[in-house]
Amino acid sequence: ISTKEELESFRDRVNNGATYEGRTITLQNDIDLQGNAENQWVPIGREDKDFKGTFYGNNHIIKNMYIDTTEDFQGLFGIVRGKIQDLTVTGDIVNAGNQSGGVVGSAGGSTIIMNCHNQVTIYSEEGTSIGGIAGYIVPNASILNCTNRANITALGQTGGYQETYVGGIIGRCDGQITGCYNTGD
């Protein structure tokens, strides 16, 4: 993937059911998503249409991502059951829903998120599980050698029985975190 248009085309294929299981997608350049209220990012991978391959960021930056929605599973990737590595993401997520993160909203299966760096500022009024790298990871998933440098804000649920989890690296972790650090508030 070398351009914004190619990244959007890849996203659309995943969101229409292509899992990319057993395949590696390599980023060839930094990509500017040019995000704003009129040009919002739709995450790669949705419920029942998750990304299962390897996304190799090749130490490039995907910058200026912008998302403004209370829908769940927000981030560059919404739902992943694969591997995301060597990638930096910048931008803003406002009004994030449940399980939202700068890089990944929700990581299932034996997902590995490795050497990823978040600079996406996230704000959520009622979302649960909000984190810089990922909103939520399951027991077999791992976050390795990742950093968060952005501010992450989650105000919490106003009712009901759900607790709000928020953190620089991860909102809610049932998996494993190794060698990561956070400098954001």
Side-chain angles (χ1 to χ4, degrees):
I1 293 177
S2 299
T3 66
K4 174 183 180 234
E5 292 75 23
E6 289 174 353
L7 184 63
E8 291 169 337
S9 178
F10 161 69
R11 175 207 54 210
D12 294 345
R13 286 191 303 272
V14 172
N15 291 352
N16 284 317
T19 66
Y20 287 85
E21 189 166 6
R23 296 174 65 192
T24 298
I25 305 302
T26 302
L27 198 58
Q28 297 295 327
N29 296 311
D30 292 349
I31 294 180
D32 187 346
L33 295 178
Q34 304 167 347
N36 57 47
E38 290 77 38
N39 185 29
Q40 294 190 39
W41 179 250
V42 174
I44 301 164
R46 307 307 296 151
E47 279 192 272
D48 300 323
K49 293 184 171 119
D50 41 344
F51 176 68
K52 296 180 180 178
T54 296
F55 188 90
Y56 177 55
N58 206 12
N59 295 310
H60 286 293
I61 300 170
I62 295 178
K63 60 184 178 179
N64 297 317
M65 178 177 73
Y66 184 84
I67 299 171
D68 183 358
T69 180
T70 57
E71 290 182 24
D72 298 342
F73 311 115
Q74 297 304 309
L76 179 66
F77 288 84
I79 301 175
V80 171
R81 293 180 191 276
K83 185 175 185 180
I84 313 296
Q85 71 179 72
D86 301 327
L87 178 66
T88 299
V89 183
T90 75
D92 295 289
I93 300 175
V94 295
N95 296 317
N98 298 325
Q99 298 185 31
S100 293
V103 180
V104 173
S106 180
S110 53
T111 297
I112 296 172
I113 304 167
M114 181 169 64
N115 298 325
C116 290
H117 312 285
N118 180 58
Q119 296 175 23
V120 177
T121 300
I122 303 172
Y123 177 84
S124 176
E125 287 196 16
E126 294 189 21
T128 63
S129 302
I130 309 296
I133 298 296
Y136 173 67
I137 65 173
V138 299
N140 292 330
S142 300
I143 298 177
L144 309 167
N145 303 323
C146 294
T147 62
N148 175 64
R149 296 179 188 268
N151 294 340
I152 312 299
T153 304
L155 301 181
Q157 289 283 325
T158 57
Y161 298 100
Q162 288 189 309
E163 294 182 49
T164 297
Y165 301 94
V166 60
I169 299 297
I170 184 84
R172 181 174 176 189
C173 179
D174 289 334
Q176 196 173 5
I177 300 174
T178 304
C180 299
Y181 71 88
N182 171 58
T183 60
D185 290 336

